[in-house]
Amino acid sequence: MTDARPPFEEAPALKRFSMHVRHGFFGRRGGVSTGVYNSLNCGHGSGDEPEKVRENRRRFCHAMGASLEQLASPRQIH
């Protein structure tokens, strides 16, 4: 297991009101996905390799000090 921690941003307004809920906005950097998904792809429905999606999710949870069991994520459509 690597200690990779992808960079993320927190919104000050959300941080002020979310005393018990951690949030983060991640970009493309810090992931293990390759090819057309060359990024920190965390979408299970994207067509990316499931083990790479799991590792990307593990990395952003690690960056935030959380476990995968604590993760809640929206389905994002571009």
Side-chain angles (χ1 to χ4, degrees):
M1 179 167 85
T2 181
D3 192 32
R5 293 179 189 229
F8 68 96
E9 299 291 328
E10 292 179 285
L14 289 176
K15 191 173 182 178
R16 189 174 85 194
F17 293 109
S18 59
M19 294 182 295
H20 302 289
V21 178
R22 187 89 192 265
H23 73 281
F25 297 94
F26 290 81
R28 299 177 55 87
R29 295 183 292 146
V32 298
S33 295
T34 58
V36 296
Y37 302 107
N38 187 20
S39 65
L40 182 70
N41 178 36
C42 296
H44 285 298
S46 66
D48 196 358
E49 296 175 43
E51 62 275 2
K52 290 185 178 180
V53 171
R54 279 191 297 276
E55 174 60 17
N56 289 336
R57 285 175 166 250
R58 189 204 62 77
R59 286 181 179 210
F60 76 68
C61 284
H62 181 66
M64 295 182 70
S67 69
L68 284 170
E69 293 78 26
Q70 296 172 304
L71 175 64
S73 62
R75 178 168 168 80
Q76 182 175 349
I77 300 173
H78 293 273

